[in-house]
Amino acid sequence: MIVREFNSSDKELFLDFVNEVRNYDNNFEGFKVGNIDDFDLFLEKVNRGKVKVLDSISPQITYGVFDNGCLIGVFSLRLELVGCLINHGGNIGYFIRPSKRNMGYGTKVLRCAMDEAFKYGLDRVLVTCRVGNVGSSKVIINNTYPKMSTKYG
Protein backbone atom coordinates (compact mmCIF):
# COMPACT_ATOMS: atom_id res chain seq x y z
CA MET A 1 0.00 0.00 0.00
CA ILE A 2 1.09 3.53 -0.75
CA VAL A 3 0.05 6.37 1.56
CA ARG A 4 0.54 9.93 0.36
CA GLU A 5 -1.06 13.28 -0.09
CA PHE A 6 -3.03 13.75 -3.29
CA ASN A 7 -1.47 15.34 -6.36
CA SER A 8 -2.62 16.24 -9.86
CA SER A 9 -1.83 12.76 -11.23
CA ASP A 10 -4.55 11.23 -9.02
CA LYS A 11 -7.49 12.79 -10.87
CA GLU A 12 -8.85 9.67 -12.63
CA LEU A 13 -8.39 7.39 -9.60
CA PHE A 14 -10.01 9.95 -7.34
CA LEU A 15 -13.02 10.56 -9.58
CA ASP A 16 -13.53 6.80 -9.94
CA PHE A 17 -13.49 6.56 -6.12
CA VAL A 18 -16.00 9.44 -5.82
CA ASN A 19 -18.36 7.88 -8.37
CA GLU A 20 -18.37 4.59 -6.48
CA VAL A 21 -19.05 6.35 -3.19
CA ARG A 22 -21.79 8.46 -4.77
CA ASN A 23 -23.54 5.33 -6.05
CA TYR A 24 -23.27 3.57 -2.70
CA ASP A 25 -23.68 6.06 0.15
CA ASN A 26 -23.72 9.66 -0.92
CA ASN A 27 -25.11 10.83 2.44
CA PHE A 28 -22.17 9.77 4.60
CA GLU A 29 -21.33 12.82 6.69
CA GLY A 30 -17.56 12.29 6.80
CA PHE A 31 -17.00 12.38 3.05
CA LYS A 32 -19.32 14.63 1.09
CA VAL A 33 -19.12 13.63 -2.56
CA GLY A 34 -22.01 15.60 -3.98
CA ASN A 35 -19.81 18.56 -4.88
CA ILE A 36 -16.46 16.89 -5.68
CA ASP A 37 -16.55 16.77 -9.45
CA ASP A 38 -13.83 19.37 -9.92
CA PHE A 39 -10.59 17.64 -8.93
CA ASP A 40 -8.52 20.83 -9.18
CA LEU A 41 -10.89 22.53 -6.74
CA PHE A 42 -10.64 19.48 -4.45
CA LEU A 43 -6.82 19.77 -4.44
CA GLU A 44 -7.08 23.48 -3.73
CA LYS A 45 -9.41 22.87 -0.77
CA VAL A 46 -7.18 20.07 0.56
CA ASN A 47 -4.15 22.34 0.42
CA ARG A 48 -6.00 25.25 2.05
CA GLY A 49 -7.23 22.89 4.77
CA LYS A 50 -3.67 22.33 6.01
CA VAL A 51 -3.43 25.92 7.22
CA LYS A 52 -5.14 27.15 10.35
CA VAL A 53 -7.22 30.18 9.40
CA LEU A 54 -9.71 30.26 12.28
CA ASP A 55 -9.36 29.21 15.90
CA SER A 56 -12.63 27.27 15.55
CA ILE A 57 -11.45 25.03 12.68
CA SER A 58 -8.88 22.23 12.93
CA PRO A 59 -6.40 22.17 10.08
CA GLN A 60 -6.06 18.76 8.46
CA ILE A 61 -3.84 16.85 6.08
CA THR A 62 -5.69 14.62 3.61
CA TYR A 63 -4.11 11.42 2.34
CA GLY A 64 -4.96 8.84 -0.28
CA VAL A 65 -4.23 5.17 0.30
CA PHE A 66 -3.50 3.27 -2.90
CA ASP A 67 -3.13 -0.46 -3.53
CA ASN A 68 -2.45 -2.11 -6.89
CA GLY A 69 -3.26 1.06 -8.81
CA CYS A 70 -6.57 1.63 -6.99
CA LEU A 71 -7.53 4.37 -4.53
CA ILE A 72 -8.90 2.23 -1.70
CA GLY A 73 -9.34 4.85 0.98
CA VAL A 74 -8.92 8.39 2.16
CA PHE A 75 -8.04 9.70 5.58
CA SER A 76 -7.72 13.11 7.15
CA LEU A 77 -5.31 13.76 9.97
CA ARG A 78 -6.01 16.62 12.35
CA LEU A 79 -3.00 17.48 14.48
CA GLU A 80 -4.96 19.85 16.69
CA LEU A 81 -8.54 19.37 17.85
CA VAL A 82 -10.89 22.29 18.38
CA GLY A 83 -14.63 22.67 18.67
CA CYS A 84 -16.85 19.66 18.07
CA LEU A 85 -13.93 17.52 16.88
CA ILE A 86 -12.87 17.10 20.49
CA ASN A 87 -15.88 14.82 21.01
CA HIS A 88 -17.03 13.91 17.49
CA GLY A 89 -14.54 13.24 14.72
CA GLY A 90 -11.26 13.23 16.59
CA ASN A 91 -7.78 13.34 15.09
CA ILE A 92 -8.49 10.89 12.29
CA GLY A 93 -11.35 10.57 9.86
CA TYR A 94 -11.17 7.79 7.29
CA PHE A 95 -13.28 6.39 4.49
CA ILE A 96 -12.91 3.12 2.56
CA ARG A 97 -14.32 2.74 -0.94
CA PRO A 98 -17.42 0.51 -0.77
CA SER A 99 -16.03 -2.30 -2.96
CA LYS A 100 -13.02 -2.68 -0.64
CA ARG A 101 -14.89 -2.93 2.64
CA ASN A 102 -14.81 -6.09 4.77
CA MET A 103 -11.43 -6.99 3.29
CA GLY A 104 -9.19 -5.68 6.10
CA TYR A 105 -8.46 -2.37 4.40
CA GLY A 106 -10.16 -0.30 7.10
CA THR A 107 -7.82 -1.69 9.73
CA LYS A 108 -4.80 -1.07 7.50
CA VAL A 109 -5.86 2.47 6.57
CA LEU A 110 -6.48 3.44 10.19
CA ARG A 111 -3.10 1.96 11.17
CA CYS A 112 -1.45 4.07 8.42
CA ALA A 113 -3.26 7.16 9.69
CA MET A 114 -2.11 6.50 13.25
CA ASP A 115 1.48 5.99 12.07
CA GLU A 116 1.32 9.38 10.30
CA ALA A 117 -0.06 11.00 13.48
CA PHE A 118 2.83 9.66 15.54
CA LYS A 119 5.34 10.87 12.92
CA TYR A 120 3.97 14.36 13.55
CA GLY A 121 4.58 13.95 17.27
CA LEU A 122 1.10 13.22 18.57
CA ASP A 123 1.44 11.03 21.61
CA ARG A 124 -2.27 10.11 21.62
CA VAL A 125 -4.97 10.05 18.96
CA LEU A 126 -8.74 10.17 19.23
CA VAL A 127 -10.82 8.14 16.78
CA THR A 128 -14.62 8.11 16.92
CA CYS A 129 -17.49 6.43 15.12
CA ARG A 130 -21.25 6.29 15.31
CA VAL A 131 -22.80 3.85 17.75
CA GLY A 132 -24.37 1.70 15.01
CA ASN A 133 -21.31 1.57 12.76
CA VAL A 134 -20.23 -2.03 13.40
CA GLY A 135 -17.54 -2.02 10.71
CA SER A 136 -15.77 1.07 12.03
CA SER A 137 -16.12 -0.17 15.60
CA LYS A 138 -14.22 -3.32 14.61
CA VAL A 139 -11.58 -1.31 12.77
CA ILE A 140 -11.04 0.88 15.83
CA ILE A 141 -10.88 -2.12 18.18
CA ASN A 142 -8.37 -3.82 15.84
CA ASN A 143 -6.13 -0.75 16.14
CA THR A 144 -6.59 0.05 19.82
CA TYR A 145 -3.51 0.34 21.97
CA PRO A 146 -2.38 2.58 24.86
CA LYS A 147 -1.81 5.71 22.74
CA MET A 148 -5.35 5.69 21.36
CA SER A 149 -8.53 7.08 22.82
CA THR A 150 -11.88 5.98 21.48
CA LYS A 151 -15.33 7.46 21.80
CA TYR A 152 -18.54 6.13 20.40
CA GLY A 153 -21.63 8.15 19.77
Side-chain angles (χ1 to χ4, degrees):
M1 286 195 325
I2 297 170
V3 177
R4 61 177 170 73
E5 293 182 53
F6 286 99
N7 62 56
S8 59
S9 68
D10 297 322
K11 181 176 183 174
E12 294 304 317
L13 293 174
F14 180 80
L15 292 176
D16 181 58
F17 179 92
V18 167
N19 285 330
E20 183 175 324
V21 171
R22 183 177 285 130
N23 290 330
Y24 184 79
D25 55 5
N26 192 29
N27 293 323
F28 176 71
E29 72 178 62
F31 188 73
K32 302 270 190 240
V33 298
N35 59 357
I36 306 182
D37 290 317
D38 184 336
F39 183 72
D40 294 329
L41 182 59
F42 166 76
L43 284 180
E44 184 181 315
K45 287 180 180 182
V46 164
N47 287 323
R48 275 193 318 228
K50 292 189 241 183
V51 179
K52 186 171 185 172
V53 293
L54 296 172
D55 288 339
S56 60
I57 298 175
S58 296
Q60 65 184 15
I61 306 163
T62 302
Y63 295 85
V65 182
F66 303 84
D67 192 29
N68 294 319
C70 178
L71 176 58
I72 60 160
V74 175
F75 70 84
S76 295
L77 175 60
R78 296 174 282 271
L79 303 176
E80 174 187 357
L81 297 181
V82 297
C84 67
L85 290 174
I86 294 169
N87 294 308
H88 178 81
N91 296 99
I92 297 169
Y94 67 94
F95 193 87
I96 306 301
R97 92 184 289 141
S99 64
K100 298 296 183 181
R101 295 179 186 167
N102 298 310
M103 301 170 89
Y105 282 114
T107 297
K108 292 174 184 175
V109 167
L110 181 54
R111 169 57 57 196
C112 291
M114 290 167 47
D115 289 345
E116 288 297 315
F118 300 141
K119 285 180 191 174
Y120 276 94
L122 291 182
D123 58 354
R124 294 184 67 83
V125 295
L126 172 66
V127 181
T128 68
C129 74
R130 291 183 188 170
V131 172
N133 190 335
V134 175
S136 282
S137 296
K138 289 179 182 178
V139 166
I140 292 169
I141 290 166
N142 288 341
N143 279 290
T144 300
Y145 64 102
K147 290 185 176 186
M148 185 175 182
S149 299
T150 57
K151 290 187 178 184
Y152 299 89

